[in-house]
């Protein structure tokens, strides 16, 4: 044990107590101790900032060995990324929290990516640009001063410009703001972009394309005048659970129905779901959004470079919202705080960062039998675990749903403000500008995509799994198919990593099955889960575009790799200004065999967005999702034991003719045979109101 220098200088602090579980998020005390270790490092200066602090997870084998009682609790380690704001010295460290020892140190030389962008750097951009005469002159040529505009600095990407080599570059746009409460997104100052070195504090280039008008339309969606008189007639909807919710939370451990899991929160990936098991059987060791890319389609000289890796470049977990009861989540809500480190390394608590609640989800199963008179219905419900993060103009929600029947879903929710441009007007032949929508007078919204990479470290009944691609197959008329009605399915194992770049195909109902190679049902089928993708386009950029190399993960809907604890992010560790080829292309380079191995799925899902008028001035929620369903994981429907709804009307057998007498007994009014025979749900609702209202 080492003593550490207390940052307040008051006293030395001891090693913080280890959490009870090796995958627990870093505690505030652990973050404090990490900061103290860093402050004592000889290379730390007054300009040293913490770009990232998070748990360095023990390898899976160590965690599972510890759970089996075969291995000790793994050592607690932190991963820390440090940026010196002035020298741009960038280091990636792994520290022992117990001893304070530096276990690994990588100094980035800037040729293979930079550390993520810090808030401190975003804040500097305005100061740097406004001190540059060329920038001030370009604004003046548009009738503007630096006080009229706000700057929107963005990640630079990588275009091989020698002047940008090994430098920390941001590119910035300006937006005019008519007043402090005026939303500047409505008034892009198009045709003007500055390229800035934030460490050298210098504008290295200004791209000035005159001829754009600044759109004058209002984007003030929060202005009562723009909102109009409130819509009337909306009655309150209240969700109540008088006996509380059905899940329990113990630290980061959650139990609900047959589900057990751990949840944690990370500055980069946001919410992480861990060690999901159903009825004691492992399903998913770790699930998270490992990366995302928002590539824009407009090739204009001022904005061809627009594409944002919100996870790897910006660390979207840092921008997690503090959620408010009754606003962001309704019902019987449990919140968890997210504990992160700020850029000075101090613990920062995001209150109510993660929201958990149950939702009724309609009918789970139902049948009214023609022959037996049996009539049964059960209701589905789901456990919802979510967070919202605001990254610049967009607000993203990530919602994980666990269902009673073993289904897992992940849904991205997209709202906020469109990224805007000055609409250039129609082409010479009168056709609309081909790369942006005009969503309000003179206001453009460039076409773009939102592509998310879910990293799904599967453990379906253990770590020995195989991924099969399953397609529906149409069969021609033949001797064995004389009437041509036959169709079947093909099941193709993805045998090695290089075979794994797969694309969704709705025309053949393509799904990917993650099957155990060790466990089987009593019928001899491998137990499995199936990933149901949503068929939407992968990355639309040309394969030779810079972004295609940098976001290789997004060129396919699925890659599969053999588990490697170092492979955590789909576009690699250092995404900011990375020239490309990081992440997935490196992970599959070794072409490891995948059959019967510990597999990790990298699933790209998302939206291709051609903005519409209705998305302005604030976007109604849009959605993108995927589903994991048990497939021969169980011997039968695993929800037969779900109790019937509490209402006497939904009791087993209710509605059947031979139970009519019981109905008479149960209810104040006489049963109407025809009514029950018809068994209309609405009719029952009316009946319930009369009997029990
Ligand atoms: Ni969009």
């Amino acid at each position: 044990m080492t003593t550490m220098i207390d940052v307040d200088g008051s006293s030395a602090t001891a090693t913080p107590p280890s959490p009870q579980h090796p995958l627990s998020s870093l505690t505030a005390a652990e973050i404090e101790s990490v900061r103290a270790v860093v402050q004592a490092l000889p290379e730390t200066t007054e300009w040293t900032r913490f770009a990232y602090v998070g748990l360095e997870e023990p390898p899976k084998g160590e965690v599972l060995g510890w759970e089996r009682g075969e291995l000790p609790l793994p050592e607690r380690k932190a991963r820390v990324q440090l940026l010196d704001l002035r020298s741009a010295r960038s280091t990636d460290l792994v520290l022992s929290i117990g001893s304070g020892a530096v276990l690994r140190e990588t100094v980035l030389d800037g040729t293979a990516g930079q550390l993520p962008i810090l808030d401190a750097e975003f804040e500097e951009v305005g100061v740097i640009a406004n001190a540059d005469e060329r920038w001030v002159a370009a604004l003046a040529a548009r009738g503007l001063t630096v006080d009229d505009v706000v700057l929107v600095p963005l990640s630079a990407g990588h275009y091989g410009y020698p002047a940008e080599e090994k430098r920390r570059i941001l590119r910035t746009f300006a937006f005019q703001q008519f007043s402090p409460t005026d939303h500047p997104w409505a008034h892009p100052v198009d045709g003007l972009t500055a390229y800035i070195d934030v460490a050298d504090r210098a504008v290295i280039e200004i791209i000035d394309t005159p001829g754009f008008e600044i759109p004058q339309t209002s984007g003030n969606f929060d202005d009562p005048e723009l909102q109009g008189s409130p819509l009337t007639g909306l009655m309150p909807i209240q969700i109540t659970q008088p006996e509380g919710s059905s899940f329990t939370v113990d630290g980061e451990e959650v139990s609900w129905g047959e589900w057990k899991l751990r949840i944690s929160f990370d500055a980069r990936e946001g919410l992480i779901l861990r060690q999901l098991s159903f009825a004691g059987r492992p399903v998913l060791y770790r699930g998270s959004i490992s990366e995302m890319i928002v590539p824009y389609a407009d090739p204009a000289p001022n904005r061809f470079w627009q594409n944002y890796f919100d996870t790897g470049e910006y660390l979207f977990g840092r921008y997690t919202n503090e959620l408010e009861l009754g606003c962001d989540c309704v019902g019987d809500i449990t919140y968890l705080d997210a504990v992160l480190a700020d850029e000075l390394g101090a613990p920062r608590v995001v209150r109510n960062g993660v929201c958990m609640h149950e939702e009724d989800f309609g009918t789970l199963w139902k049948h009214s039998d023609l022959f037996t008179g049996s009539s049964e219905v059960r209701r589905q419900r789901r456990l919802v675990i979510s967070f919202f993060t605001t990254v610049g103009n967009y607000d993203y929600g990530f919602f994980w749903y666990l269902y009673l029947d073993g289904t897992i879903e992940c849904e991205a929710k997209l709202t906020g403000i469109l990224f805007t441009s000055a609409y250039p007007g129609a082409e010479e032949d009168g056709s609309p500008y081909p790369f942006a929508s005009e969503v309000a007078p003179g206001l453009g919204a460039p076409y773009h995509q939102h592509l998310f990479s879910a990293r799904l470290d599967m453990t379906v009944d253990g770590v020995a799994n195989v991924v099969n691609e399953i397609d529906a197959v149409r069969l021609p008329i033949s001797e064995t198919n004389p009437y041509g009605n036959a169709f079947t399915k093909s099941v193709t194992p993805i045998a090695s990593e290089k075979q794994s770049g797969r694309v969704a195909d709705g025309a053949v109902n393509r799904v990917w099955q993650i099957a155990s190679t060790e466990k089987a049902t009593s019928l001899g089928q491998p137990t499995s889960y199936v990933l149901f993708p949503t068929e939407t386009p992968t990355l639309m950029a040309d394969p030779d575009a810079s972004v295609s190399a940098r976001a290789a993960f997004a060129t396919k809907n699925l890659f599969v790799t053999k588990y490697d604890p170092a492979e955590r992010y789909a576009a690699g560790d250092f995404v900011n200004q990375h020239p490309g080829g990081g992440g997935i292309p490196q992970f599959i380079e070794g072409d490891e065999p995948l059959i019967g191995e510990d597999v990790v799925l990298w699933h790209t899902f998302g939206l291709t967005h051609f903005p519409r008028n209705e998305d302005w001035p604030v976007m109604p929620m849009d959605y993108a999702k995927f589903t994991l369903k048990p497939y021969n994981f169980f011997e039968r429907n695993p929800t037969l034991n779900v109790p019937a709804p509490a209402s006497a009307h939904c009791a087993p057998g209710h509605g059947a003719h031979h139970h009519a007498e019981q109905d008479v007994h149960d209810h104040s009014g006489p049963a109407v045979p025809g009514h029950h025979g018809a068994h209309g749900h609405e009719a029952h609702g009316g009946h319930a109101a009369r009997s029990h209202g």
Side-chain angles (χ1 to χ4, degrees):
M1 189 177 291
T2 229
T3 50
M4 283 163 280
I5 302 145
D6 190 294
V7 288
D8 302 324
S10 52
S11 65
T13 52
T15 300
S18 283
Q20 295 301 301
H21 196 281
L23 297 175
S24 296
S25 305
L26 292 184
T27 64
E30 288 179 317
I31 291 170
E32 284 284 11
S33 83
V34 165
R35 176 165 68 150
V37 171
V38 168
Q39 289 193 323
L41 295 174
E43 54 274 23
T44 297
T45 75
E46 64 175 310
W47 297 108
T48 300
R49 295 293 180 274
F50 292 72
Y52 172 80
V53 178
L55 177 71
E56 174 73 0
E57 294 177 20
K60 193 189 290 183
E62 290 183 22
V63 176
L64 299 181
W66 169 78
E67 285 185 336
R68 289 191 301 264
E70 297 163 2
L71 294 173
L73 186 68
E75 185 182 12
R76 293 285 286 174
K77 298 175 189 171
R79 187 166 188 186
V80 185
Q81 294 173 348
L82 301 172
L83 172 72
D84 187 299
L85 290 176
R86 287 296 173 268
S87 70
R89 186 176 196 275
S90 301
T91 51
D92 178 28
L93 306 175
V94 174
L95 304 177
S96 162
I97 292 173
S99 71
V102 176
L103 305 173
R104 194 186 78 204
E105 176 172 14
T106 309
V107 181
L108 280 67
D109 69 1
T111 59
Q114 297 271 355
L115 292 181
I117 302 157
L118 274 69
D119 285 335
E121 294 179 298
F122 283 129
E123 288 159 15
E124 284 290 280
V125 163
V127 179
I128 298 165
N130 292 346
D132 187 277
E133 286 175 10
R134 295 165 295 169
W135 177 258
V136 175
L139 288 175
R142 291 164 170 82
L144 299 169
T145 72
V146 295
D147 296 329
D148 295 325
V149 298
V150 294
L151 302 198
V152 176
L154 295 159
S155 57
H158 188 282
Y159 296 91
Y161 302 142
E164 297 186 352
E165 212 171 300
K166 299 190 182 185
R167 300 173 80 173
R168 285 186 68 80
I169 306 296
L170 288 171
R171 308 192 200 281
T172 189
F173 292 124
F175 288 75
Q176 190 178 1
Q177 196 174 24
F178 295 161
S179 75
T181 58
D182 181 46
H183 288 268
W185 304 107
H187 321 300
V189 182
D190 211 332
L192 179 60
T193 311
Y195 298 177
I196 289 171
D197 180 326
V198 277
D200 284 355
R201 301 174 59 74
V203 176
I204 60 173
E205 190 169 359
I206 288 178
I207 310 296
D208 192 348
T209 318
F212 292 96
E213 302 265 319
I214 299 172
Q216 300 295 302
T217 188
S218 170
N220 298 336
F221 58 89
D222 46 4
D223 177 357
E225 202 173 313
L226 195 64
Q227 290 175 347
S229 56
L231 180 64
T232 56
L234 296 179
M235 297 301 152
I237 296 179
Q238 285 177 351
I239 311 294
T240 57
Q241 290 187 278
E243 295 173 45
S245 54
S246 324
F247 58 92
T248 59
V249 181
D250 178 10
E252 295 185 328
E253 196 174 306
V254 180
S255 301
W256 179 73
E258 299 283 7
W259 285 107
K260 277 201 190 342
L261 70 151
R262 299 185 60 84
I263 60 177
S264 53
F265 203 87
D266 178 77
R268 181 160 180 165
E269 293 166 278
L271 179 63
I272 302 170
L273 267 53
R274 301 181 187 277
Q275 297 191 292
L276 283 80
S277 66
F278 192 97
R281 296 166 63 191
V283 175
L284 173 60
Y285 181 78
R286 190 185 192 281
S288 68
I289 302 299
S290 88
E291 192 51 85
M292 59 173 284
I293 174 73
V294 187
Y296 281 75
D298 193 335
N302 286 91
R303 56 180 72 253
F304 66 89
W305 49 268
Q306 268 189 286
N307 51 68
Y308 320 133
F309 294 74
D310 287 324
T311 311
E313 292 175 337
Y314 298 103
L315 304 194
F316 72 16
R318 293 189 299 160
Y319 301 113
T320 296
N321 293 184
E322 296 196 342
L323 301 172
E324 290 297 336
L325 186 62
C327 308
D328 297 296
C329 300
V330 294
D332 193 300
I333 305 297
T334 299
Y335 290 108
L336 288 189
D337 296 341
V339 181
L340 305 172
D342 69 18
E343 293 183 0
L344 294 170
R348 175 171 74 89
V349 176
V350 182
R351 193 181 54 88
N352 298 349
V354 176
C355 171
M356 277 186 289
H357 69 288
E358 270 178 303
E359 282 178 359
D360 181 279
F361 196 67
T363 304
L364 168 61
W365 55 262
K366 175 178 171 66
H367 181 60
S368 300
D369 194 79
L370 176 64
F371 301 108
T372 68
S374 157
S375 181
E376 303 263 348
V377 60
R378 298 292 185 277
R379 291 197 70 78
Q380 176 69 290
R381 63 173 73 187
R382 63 187 185 183
L383 176 63
V384 186
I385 309 170
S386 67
F387 75 104
F388 255 101
T389 178
T390 301
V391 194
N393 52 308
Y394 261 91
D395 301 73
Y396 293 102
F398 294 93
F399 282 62
W400 290 83
Y401 305 114
L402 305 181
Y403 293 84
L404 291 175
D405 63 353
T407 298
I408 303 169
E409 263 177 359
C410 176
E411 183 171 63
K413 299 189 179 187
L414 302 85
T415 180
I417 318 286
L418 292 167
F419 205 97
T420 53
S421 60
Y423 187 71
E427 301 287 275
E428 277 175 22
D429 67 0
S431 60
Y433 184 68
F435 308 113
S437 308
E438 186 177 20
V439 294
L443 186 69
Y447 303 158
H448 60 276
Q449 298 183 282
H450 305 262
L451 299 170
F452 308 98
S453 172
R455 181 182 182 278
L456 302 168
D457 181 350
M458 302 298 295
T459 49
V460 179
D461 266 336
V463 294
N465 287 174
V466 61
V467 181
N468 297 313
E469 182 165 277
I470 302 181
D471 285 357
V473 177
R474 179 178 285 114
L475 295 172
I477 288 179
S478 68
E479 232 169 80
T480 54
N481 179 28
Y483 300 99
N485 63 297
F487 68 93
T488 185
K489 63 180 182 180
S490 65
V491 179
T492 311
I494 297 174
S496 72
E497 291 176 329
K498 282 190 175 173
Q499 295 176 24
S500 74
R502 314 302 304 167
V503 175
D505 186 354
V508 296
N509 197 54
R510 179 167 296 161
V511 297
W512 295 293
Q513 177 191 36
I514 306 98
S516 171
T517 53
E518 291 176 343
K519 301 281 167 62
T521 64
S522 62
L523 301 177
Q525 306 130 327
T527 59
S528 79
Y529 261 69
V530 166
L531 169 60
F532 289 80
T534 310
E535 192 196 17
T536 51
T538 55
L539 190 68
M540 293 296 295
D542 185 275
D544 290 331
S546 164
V547 69
S548 299
R550 302 183 65 230
F553 71 88
T555 62
K556 307 283 181 185
N557 293 108
L558 181 74
F559 288 94
V560 187
T561 57
K562 185 175 167 181
Y563 170 77
D564 177 340
E567 296 174 353
R568 281 180 55 180
Y569 311 114
D573 284 14
F574 307 112
V575 179
N576 186 24
Q577 294 179 254
H578 196 288
I584 292 292
Q586 288 179 326
F587 302 166
I588 66 172
E589 183 58 34
D591 201 23
E592 299 261 12
L594 295 174
I595 296 175
E597 299 291 345
D598 186 0
V599 296
V600 176
L601 281 71
W602 306 80
H603 174 46
T604 292
F605 66 107
L607 294 171
T608 296
H609 192 178
F610 298 106
R612 54 183 181 143
N613 293 349
E614 291 82 353
D615 291 333
W616 182 257
V618 62
M619 272 177 52
M621 195 68 79
D622 212 342
Y623 303 88
K625 72 167 189 179
F626 66 88
T627 306
L628 283 160
K629 281 190 191 185
Y631 192 94
N632 299 339
F633 190 74
F634 304 109
E635 301 283 339
R636 62 184 66 79
N637 180 343
T639 62
L640 296 184
N641 65 348
V642 171
S647 164
H649 293 272
C650 309
H654 176 74
H657 294 286
H658 67 271
H659 284 167
E661 279 180 36
Q662 194 184 324
D663 282 339
V664 173
H665 177 75
D666 279 350
H667 306 313
S668 54
V672 183
H675 161 87
H676 281 165
H679 207 265
H681 187 77
E682 284 69 29
H684 270 263
H687 190 58
R690 202 165 62 240
S691 305
H692 304 289

